[in-house]
Amino acid sequence: MTLGRPREFDVDAALDRALHVFWRKGYEGTSMTDLTDAMGITKPSLYAAFGNKEELFRKALDRYVDGPGSYYQAGLQKPTAREVVEHILYGAADAMSDPSNPGCLAVQGALCCGDAAETIKQELAARRGKTEEDLRDRLSRAVTEGDLPSGSHAGDLARYVSAILQGMAVQAASGAPRDQLRKLADMALRNWPPV
Amino acid sequence: MTLGRPREFDVDAALDRALHVFWRKGYEGTSMTDLTDAMGITKPSLYAAFGNKEELFRKALDRYVDGPGSYYQAGLQKPTAREVVEHILYGAADAMSDPSNPGCLAVQGALCCGDAAETIKQELAARRGKTEEDLRDRLSRAVTEGDLPSGSHAGDLARYVSAILQGMAVQAASGAPRDQLRKLADMALRNWPPV
DNA sequence: AGACTTATCTACCGCTCGGTAGAAATCTCT
DNA sequence: AGAGATTTCTACCGAGCGGTAGATAAGTCT
């Protein structure tokens, strides 16, 4: 099997490099030269292995969700609503405050952009919407299970937590240190649920 | 006075158009052609009147702060901490949910970017930092005036409100409608101060 | 060995980017 | 009327953009 000349670089490692460039510079701010420099390969190799810039970004985004962003899905599986939200908020505070890659790719990858990047912007908005829905569904379950007050509006609570996370992402992008983000999580949790 | 050929366009109106383009597309996502098309002038006229792209952005940003973003400074002058935060949160919810210009220029103008826009990114981060400081100082005064509990940490509270505002901005950029942003303000206020 | 398949490289494509040169037009002054 | 100041226009600049052609190299198959 595996006909032809073998690839000389590690696809996963290269994708990882690409992810970190997109994370720091955003989709629009990243040039193909930025990518090839960081990945250590030439443009034709990149195109052969990953398609084009947009496909590469999507693959990097998948890798982000399963890697640095995995605290989110992990948090959803905690047994109680409070533990879910705790895990997500503190996980985010840690993940977003890595000084070499501050913030959140899903927020800063393409929050707004020129026409050429419009589809990426929409993809990211859709992903943020999806994660919020996942949290909403989890909190909704918590209401039926009784670990959230029975009057709680799961959708509102999910949007509130999302807002905190997104605010955290913006502050992290400005260079906020880890303990400041953690304090933000503290405050959001101090009166949870916010009735 | 006023030697030379008179200018044929209204500088303030043109700056307003430029502001709205930057607002929708961000600094990096906006091209000079986008700007000249929207402003109804040619490139040399733009350069003569506004310097270059970066200077134009700064002027548009000043206009933003004094115009659509003026709810913030107005809020700081309210008599009590609660009124200050109320005015800012609801003002933001309204300002950010204009469908033709969603979100907040100071957040989405250049949250992250390529090297060429680095100075703009830093300028925006500095401005966000400044507005947070203004709020902190106002809340600090509120503590001494007794309309916040005497143990309150004004810096933390200001960061918390900033995070809500920035989360609001991200959700607005994704198309969240006005009443959803208002609900976010409701929740943040429901237990204010978050002790 | 030789056909076949795939990766790698250099060199290049058309296009758009931000920005400007230089001449013509339109005003105020003397 | 004419000098001087300023704006406007068309046309252009070099650089960088995302993306590719085509030759060559390095493997696996029969």
Side-chain angles (χ1 to χ4, degrees):
Chain A
M1 287 302 171
T2 74
L3 289 197
R5 178 172 175 175
R7 189 171 272 129
E8 291 176 4
F9 64 95
D10 180 331
V11 175
D12 284 343
L15 186 53
D16 228 61
R17 304 287 187 86
L19 161 59
H20 288 92
V21 179
F22 280 130
W23 195 344
R24 266 181 292 118
K25 300 194 167 188
Y27 179 74
E28 235 169 14
T30 299
S31 73
M32 295 307 296
T33 306
D34 291 332
L35 291 167
T36 52
D37 284 356
M39 298 164 89
I41 62 178
T42 61
K43 264 195 282 189
S45 293
L46 189 157
Y47 277 84
F50 301 103
N52 59 12
K53 190 185 178 185
E54 195 170 321
E55 285 184 50
L56 175 59
F57 181 84
R58 283 180 213 273
K59 283 166 182 155
L61 183 56
D62 287 336
R63 195 172 177 81
Y64 175 76
V65 171
D66 292 342
S70 61
Y71 63 86
Y72 199 92
Q73 288 300 322
L76 290 177
Q77 284 156 24
K78 292 286 171 183
T80 67
R82 180 167 192 99
E83 285 173 282
V84 167
V85 175
E86 248 173 28
H87 188 275
I88 288 178
L89 284 174
Y90 288 115
D94 285 4
M96 292 182 185
S97 56
D98 174 357
S100 58
N101 297 87
C104 169
L105 179 62
V107 171
Q108 69 205 17
L111 187 53
C112 76
C113 59
D115 311 293
E118 192 69 23
T119 66
I120 293 293
K121 170 184 147 194
Q122 286 170 8
E123 159 98 26
L124 287 178
R127 293 232 190 185
R128 290 195 302 268
K130 178 66 166 51
T131 59
E132 187 183 295
E133 278 176 36
D134 290 345
L135 179 58
R136 189 228 319 150
D137 293 346
R138 178 64 187 82
L139 296 182
S140 183
R141 200 188 93 197
V143 174
T144 69
E145 288 176 347
D147 67 74
L148 274 181
S150 71
S152 304
H153 189 306
D156 287 350
L157 292 178
R159 261 196 292 276
Y160 175 76
V161 173
S162 294
I164 297 286
L165 291 171
Q166 289 152 359
M168 219 182 250
V170 173
Q171 299 194 9
S174 314
R178 182 157 301 176
D179 63 286
Q180 238 172 58
L181 302 188
R182 286 218 182 100
K183 209 167 261 179
L184 222 43
D186 291 340
M187 299 183 72
L189 283 165
R190 209 163 295 162
N191 22 27
W192 171 265
V195 184
Chain B
M1 288 299 171
T2 71
L3 288 199
R5 177 171 175 173
R7 189 170 274 130
E8 291 177 5
F9 64 95
D10 180 333
V11 175
D12 284 342
L15 185 53
D16 228 62
R17 304 287 187 86
L19 161 59
H20 288 92
V21 179
F22 281 129
W23 196 343
R24 266 180 291 119
K25 300 194 169 188
Y27 179 75
E28 238 171 10
T30 299
S31 73
M32 296 307 295
T33 306
D34 291 333
L35 290 166
T36 52
D37 284 356
M39 299 164 88
I41 61 179
T42 62
K43 264 195 282 189
S45 292
L46 188 157
Y47 277 84
F50 301 103
N52 60 12
K53 189 186 177 184
E54 197 170 319
E55 284 183 50
L56 174 59
F57 182 83
R58 283 180 214 274
K59 283 166 182 156
L61 183 55
D62 287 336
R63 195 171 176 81
Y64 175 75
V65 171
D66 291 343
S70 61
Y71 63 87
Y72 199 92
Q73 289 298 323
L76 290 177
Q77 284 155 25
K78 293 287 171 182
T80 68
R82 181 171 190 96
E83 285 172 282
V84 167
V85 175
E86 248 172 27
H87 188 274
I88 288 178
L89 285 173
Y90 289 114
D94 284 5
M96 293 181 185
S97 56
D98 174 357
S100 58
N101 297 87
C104 169
L105 179 61
V107 171
Q108 70 205 18
L111 187 53
C112 77
C113 58
D115 310 294
E118 193 68 24
T119 66
I120 293 292
K121 169 184 148 192
Q122 286 169 9
E123 159 98 26
L124 287 178
R127 294 233 190 184
R128 289 195 302 267
K130 179 66 166 50
T131 58
E132 188 183 295
E133 278 175 37
D134 290 344
L135 179 57
R136 189 227 321 148
D137 294 347
R138 178 63 187 84
L139 296 182
S140 183
R141 200 189 92 198
V143 174
T144 70
E145 288 175 348
D147 68 75
L148 274 179
S150 70
S152 303
H153 189 307
D156 287 350
L157 292 179
R159 263 197 290 278
Y160 174 77
V161 173
S162 294
I164 297 286
L165 291 171
Q166 289 153 357
M168 218 183 250
V170 173
Q171 298 194 9
S174 314
R178 182 158 301 175
D179 63 284
Q180 238 171 60
L181 302 187
R182 286 218 182 101
K183 208 167 261 178
L184 223 43
D186 290 341
M187 299 184 72
L189 283 166
R190 209 162 294 163
N191 22 27
W192 170 265
V195 184

